Amino acid sequence: MARPTPELINALRQTAHKLKNGAPYQWGHMGGCNCGNLAQELTKLSKDQIHRYAMQRHGDWNEQAEDYCQTSQMPIDLLINEMLNAGMLLEDLKHLERLDDRQILVRLPLEKRHLKHNVREDVVSYMTAWAELLEEQLIDKITLPNLQSFELV
């Protein structure tokens, strides 16, 4: 599971919001699919740029994650590296394309857990639940000083 970072949480929320409000979504387009839309938000690249980068190598996002090399200078690897720097793991790319991470799915109502990977509304639900999970994890990491140890003046 991704590291809970404010950057990733915000990107997930923004992507879900944009998709909900009609941003271009196309399952078969590497820049307009689930990962592609999140990549747009994290990298500020256009869907067409992302698609061009991905087409320099074979495969979908799952295969791109499998073939990722952090020392490569291929544009798709540089793009994936930006996503990883935001807190994601390679496994998150695979799960996002299929909407199948169990930790995220269990947060949805039972009747809403059978998501279709290429349905816009399901992508929005998944990203929203993922952002909420990461936000909770981030909040759990925050420790505040014990106020009793401070002397009041």
Side-chain angles (χ1 to χ4, degrees), residues 57 64-82 84-85 90:
R57 192 162 59 205
Q64 298 287 356
E66 289 290 330
D67 293 341
Y68 167 75
C69 174
Q70 73 181 59
T71 59
S72 160
Q73 291 300 305
M74 288 192 71
I76 190 66
D77 288 335
L78 296 173
L79 181 152
I80 290 173
N81 196 50
E82 281 190 59
L84 300 179
N85 287 338
L90 290 173

Side-chain angles (χ1 to χ4, degrees), residues 31-60:
C33 59
N34 306 353
C35 286
N37 271 282
L38 183 58
Q40 287 178 54
E41 193 63 34
L42 286 169
T43 66
K44 305 307 179 206
L45 295 170
S46 73
K47 71 181 184 102
D48 291 331
Q49 287 172 301
I50 294 166
H51 187 75
R52 264 194 319 276
Y53 292 168
M55 292 296 101
Q56 293 177 12
R57 192 162 59 205
H58 73 283
D60 61 12

Side-chain angles (χ1 to χ4, degrees), residues 87-116:
M88 294 183 74
L89 301 175
L90 290 173
E91 290 301 311
D92 295 320
L93 294 172
K94 297 174 187 180
H95 288 305
L96 177 56
E97 262 322 275
R98 296 290 173 205
L99 305 181
D100 65 1
D101 188 302
R102 289 273 173 236
Q103 292 180 67
I104 297 168
L105 293 175
V106 298
R107 301 179 63 80
L108 299 172
L110 192 56
E111 67 277 4
K112 302 268 187 184
R113 290 184 190 170
H114 300 288
L115 303 178
K116 292 187 180 176

